[in-house]
Amino acid sequence: MHCSSPKMVCETKIVAEDHESISGSKKDTIIVSSSQMWPSLSGSPSSSPASRSGVEEDFKKNSVYIREFHPSEQEVARRIFYEGIMERIPNTAFRGLKHQPLTQLVYGILIVICFVVTKSLLLTCCLPIFLMGMRYYFSRKVILSYLEYALHTDMSDIEQYYMKPPGSCFWVAVLDGNVVGIVAARGNEEDNTMELRRMSVDANFRGKGIAKALGRKVLEFAMLNNYSSIVLGTTAVKMAAHKLYESLGFKHAGVIEHYTLPGMTHSILERMFFQLRYHRYCLQLREE
């Protein structure tokens, strides 16, 4: 797998410029704002503890900050994940079609055959609507099956799956006291890689740099724990997700056509109306 060079990590500024501000603890909380990765929360040496506490509380109230997941946030984390995946239904059904030229050709042939056989302009015009409806139906069916699988595996007990194993963690993004984003990291000791997983931001709070802050937290965690690289996979159709990974320093490492999700039946109709492209990304942190 081709990954990015260590030089590129520095060029993209995926970690703080002030390296002394990074704690040695592998799961320390990092305060993040939209303009600075690690802002100073303390006042001058003469500032009282009360005033410093007030400054910190005001900062947290008006800025996004990343901290470790707490078990009491299980349901809100599952909700953000669920809503993020549900957005994939129309995206996969409709936007995904532009990346499937063979499927477009098949649909076009069907429309031509329909007109030749029926000689009905009405039926011919209705056929594309029927095809899009079938794409939506199978997209919803498969993605709901995948959600059922995910919500009963790692997302069923985030504390057990991500917080307890060494080399893994789960973080939440907090804005105005509310959890608005999530991300997870899962370490693989066999090849010394870390996988970035489950990144999602509440749709009402996007465009504030929250996803990038979550991604940077995973990168920092991987570097502190001496992982050689970070990998991720995504079936996202929107280009914004891919641009986000590239802005963090990830390099596209390949794509799997006709990717299979848990719950797929591989029936003829399912193959005709539902296809996924699985993109792999990698960021090399250091040479092994």
Side-chain angles (χ1 to χ4, degrees), residues 218-279:
V218 174
L219 271 55
E220 175 211 344
F221 180 77
M223 295 184 73
L224 290 175
N225 286 273
N226 297 315
Y227 284 97
S228 61
S229 62
I230 307 173
V231 297
L232 67 88
T234 180
T235 58
V237 175
K238 288 184 177 180
M239 289 305 299
H242 299 272
K243 289 180 179 179
L244 168 65
Y245 303 137
E246 291 170 358
S247 73
L248 289 168
F250 286 88
K251 286 290 187 180
H252 193 257
V255 59
I256 301 175
E257 302 287 350
H258 306 292
Y259 183 70
T260 300
L261 286 177
M264 292 182 67
T265 62
H266 304 289
S267 66
I268 295 176
L269 286 176
E270 186 179 86
R271 292 180 181 181
M272 183 176 179
F273 294 110
F274 182 82
Q275 303 89 25
L276 272 181
R277 304 174 83 226
Y278 182 80
H279 298 265

Side-chain angles (χ1 to χ4, degrees), residues 10-22 35-38 216:
C10 299
E11 291 174 346
T12 53
K13 298 182 180 179
I14 60 175
V15 295
E17 293 178 356
D18 180 12
H19 295 280
E20 293 180 357
S21 66
I22 301 178
S35 60
Q36 189 176 11
M37 191 63 182
W38 285 277
R216 284 173 172 166

Side-chain angles (χ1 to χ4, degrees), residues 136-167:
Y136 184 88
Y137 169 79
F138 278 98
S139 179
R140 178 179 174 83
K141 177 177 178 291
V142 172
I143 289 176
L144 284 177
S145 296
Y146 168 72
L147 272 171
E148 183 73 12
Y149 167 82
L151 293 174
H152 285 83
T153 52
D154 61 304
M155 294 301 291
S156 67
D157 191 344
I158 296 172
E159 175 78 11
Q160 181 68 33
Y161 195 88
Y162 290 109
M163 301 304 294
K164 291 185 177 181

